[in-house]
Amino acid sequence: ALNLSVVGEAATMPAYRGVRNALANQIPAGVRLAMEKITPPVINPYVWNATLKNGKVAIGGFVPSEQARKGIIAHARRVFPRADVADTAEMAGGAPDGWDKAAAIALSQLAALRSGTADIKGREFSFVGEAADEPTAATVRKALKSDVPQSYKLVERIGYPRANKTIAGYTMAISHSGGDVEVSGNIP
């Protein structure tokens, strides 16, 4: 049998998938795959995202390895035990330092929200979501600011429903003095 060794970096994602598929399914008879060390292409900027909507979690973008994918999916299933978790992320090189921690924090904090999206693009970390209330929003903000690696630029927008405040027995005063008019109090 002829031994085949394949080593290198794929130029594109389609090339990477094609070579991996060929090595898995199309090696001719009499040829044995002795070694395979193909790395996916380096992506810049490296992107990853997770979205929570209607009780479903969608993960996309890129992961640096199958081991990283398995870890992220396992973490997602731990923090979203009742949600469907869909993963469409592809393997690619170029993940910035701290990527694994940033992705795990994104999932953990999304789990505290009603809905939201976390986007990592290079070293930019964007987090947008809707919390059930103000204390939950504050807790998520605090966790993001303290836990996201310092090498990432964090931008967050976390909203929450605001209660309508009604004031019974409102008062209003208008006073005129010289050329000035002063209005004070509450209006409906």
Side-chain angles (χ1 to χ4, degrees):
L2 180 64
N3 287 333
L4 174 66
S5 295
V6 182
V7 178
E9 178 182 318
T12 65
M13 286 307 295
Y16 177 74
R17 285 189 297 271
V19 170
R20 299 284 301 195
N21 182 51
L23 291 174
N25 302 310
Q26 299 172 358
I27 294 181
V31 177
R32 182 179 78 80
L33 183 60
M35 180 175 63
E36 179 270 317
K37 288 186 180 179
I38 301 173
T39 59
V42 172
I43 302 296
N44 188 13
Y46 200 85
V47 297
W48 179 87
N49 56 68
T51 301
L52 169 63
K53 186 175 181 182
N54 299 325
K56 296 181 180 178
V57 177
I59 296 171
F62 299 101
V63 294
S65 66
E66 277 305 315
Q67 182 179 354
R69 176 194 310 279
K70 288 176 184 175
I72 287 296
I73 297 304
H75 184 69
R77 290 195 171 122
R78 270 192 310 276
V79 297
F80 296 101
R82 291 180 292 283
D84 290 332
V85 176
D87 170 36
T88 60
E90 296 188 70
M91 272 200 339
D97 291 340
W99 174 89
D100 52 342
K101 182 177 181 183
I105 291 162
L107 290 168
S108 295
Q109 295 312 309
L110 277 175
L113 302 180
R114 290 179 171 175
S115 64
T117 301
D119 287 297
I120 298 172
K121 182 177 181 181
R123 291 195 176 277
E124 296 175 8
F125 186 112
S126 171
F127 193 92
V128 178
E130 181 76 19
D133 51 39
E134 187 174 7
T136 301
T139 299
V140 170
R141 275 189 201 100
K142 182 179 179 185
L144 289 169
K145 287 177 182 168
S146 68
D147 296 346
V148 170
Q150 294 298 307
S151 60
Y152 286 78
K153 177 185 173 195
L154 173 64
V155 176
E156 55 84 7
R157 265 190 357 255
I158 303 167
Y160 54 89
R162 303 197 192 277
N164 290 334
K165 294 183 179 178
T166 55
I167 300 174
Y170 63 90
T171 59
M172 182 174 161
I174 301 175
S175 61
H176 179 267
S177 172
D180 297 330
V181 175
E182 183 178 320
V183 179
S184 61
N186 300 307
I187 58 173

